[in-house]
């Protein structure tokens, strides 16, 4: 009980933005982190790029302008949840530095924690559950990050996990970072 009380004292709404290439483990980590936060009775919402594209952002493609709009909308949805005192865990490729800065400016720099999954394209290809890299290699998917579109690695993420990182340990490290800041 004392641990939960202490966690709630340290609790503050924020956006934990997980970025990395397709199949780097963003959604898996985001789901695990949301479970971890919920165990500490911290109100949490998972904002996933695939889910938004299936609904509110279904009118957008994958051009640079459409990606920018997708992330802008996601940031405003996150901001609405922050206003209701949620911790939002965002799982987005968000390949360009400029777009991540726009997200940060919308929610406010003090409300933004950036997590970068620095996973090699070879590992992403091996993990690829949807076969997207193979389709992109064959030219069936245009504007695919890492193949025909650049991914600009974050310069100063709050936390970085690379290679075959352990999702459970990463979630605990993110939680510790969050509660300590």
């Amino acid at each position: 009980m004392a641990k939960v009380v202490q966690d709630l004292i340290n609790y503050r709404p924020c956006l934990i933005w997980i970025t990395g290439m397709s199949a780097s483990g963003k959604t898996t980590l985001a789901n695990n982190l949301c479970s971890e936060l919920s165990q500490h009775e911290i109100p949490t919402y998972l904002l996933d790029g695939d889910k938004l594209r299936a609904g509110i952002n279904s009118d957008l493609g994958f051009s640079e302008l459409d990606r920018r709009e997708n992330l802008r909308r996601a940031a405003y949805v996150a901001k609405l949840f922050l206003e209701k005192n949620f911790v939002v865990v965002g799982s987005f490729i968000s390949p360009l530095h400029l777009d991540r800065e726009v997200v940060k400016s919308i929610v406010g720099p003090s409300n933004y924690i950036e997590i970068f999954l620095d996973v090699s394209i070879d590992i992403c290809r091996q993990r690829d559950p949807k076969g997207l890299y193979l389709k992109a290699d064959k030219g069936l998917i245009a504007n695919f990050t890492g193949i025909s579109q650049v991914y600009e690695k974050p310069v100063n993420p709050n936390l970085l996990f690379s290679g075959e990182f352990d999702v459970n340990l990463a979630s605990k490290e993110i939680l510790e970072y969050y509660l300590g800041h």
Side-chain angles (χ1 to χ4, degrees):
M1 181 67 164
K3 173 96 173 104
V4 171
V5 170
Q6 182 60 42
D7 290 347
L8 290 175
I9 289 169
N10 294 331
Y11 156 72
R12 67 177 172 84
C14 76
L15 171 60
I16 300 173
W17 190 263
I18 303 173
T19 181
M21 294 201 321
S22 183
S24 62
K26 294 179 305 300
T27 301
T28 302
L29 178 57
N31 282 315
N32 195 287
L33 178 58
C34 283
S35 294
E36 188 80 30
L37 289 161
S38 293
Q39 288 175 17
H40 291 269
E41 299 185 17
I42 296 171
T44 307
Y45 186 77
L46 173 60
L47 194 59
D48 183 73
D50 287 342
K51 289 181 182 178
L52 281 180
R53 282 193 174 275
I56 195 170
N57 292 342
S58 64
D59 61 323
L60 299 174
F62 290 90
S63 70
E64 189 173 321
L65 288 176
D66 282 351
R67 282 181 184 270
R68 181 162 292 133
E69 178 60 14
N70 177 53
L71 298 173
R72 188 192 70 78
R73 291 179 191 179
Y76 275 104
V77 170
K79 186 175 180 178
L80 293 172
F81 277 93
L82 296 182
E83 290 171 359
K84 293 299 179 184
N85 295 316
F86 279 77
V87 171
V88 178
V89 178
S91 172
F92 293 85
I93 293 173
S94 51
L96 300 179
H97 175 74
L98 172 67
D99 295 335
R100 292 188 297 269
E101 287 298 312
V102 167
V103 170
K104 184 192 297 187
S105 72
I106 290 170
V107 300
S110 65
N111 297 325
Y112 181 85
I113 297 173
E114 188 171 84
I115 311 300
F116 173 39
L117 304 185
D118 190 7
V119 178
S120 75
I121 195 165
D122 292 332
I123 292 173
C124 291
R125 283 178 187 277
Q126 292 169 11
R127 292 179 177 169
D128 185 14
K130 301 175 192 172
L132 298 176
Y133 284 95
L134 186 58
K135 290 177 184 174
D137 288 339
K138 292 180 179 179
L140 301 174
I141 300 176
N143 300 317
F144 191 77
T145 305
I147 303 295
S148 56
Q149 191 175 61
V150 68
Y151 181 88
E152 298 173 349
K153 292 182 177 187
V155 178
N156 291 311
N158 298 98
L159 292 171
L160 179 144
F161 300 97
S162 58
E164 296 280 351
F165 65 91
D166 181 291
V167 172
N168 292 320
L169 291 176
S171 293
K172 289 181 186 328
E173 190 173 333
I174 295 167
L175 178 66
E176 288 175 20
Y177 181 89
Y178 162 73
L179 291 173
H181 285 86

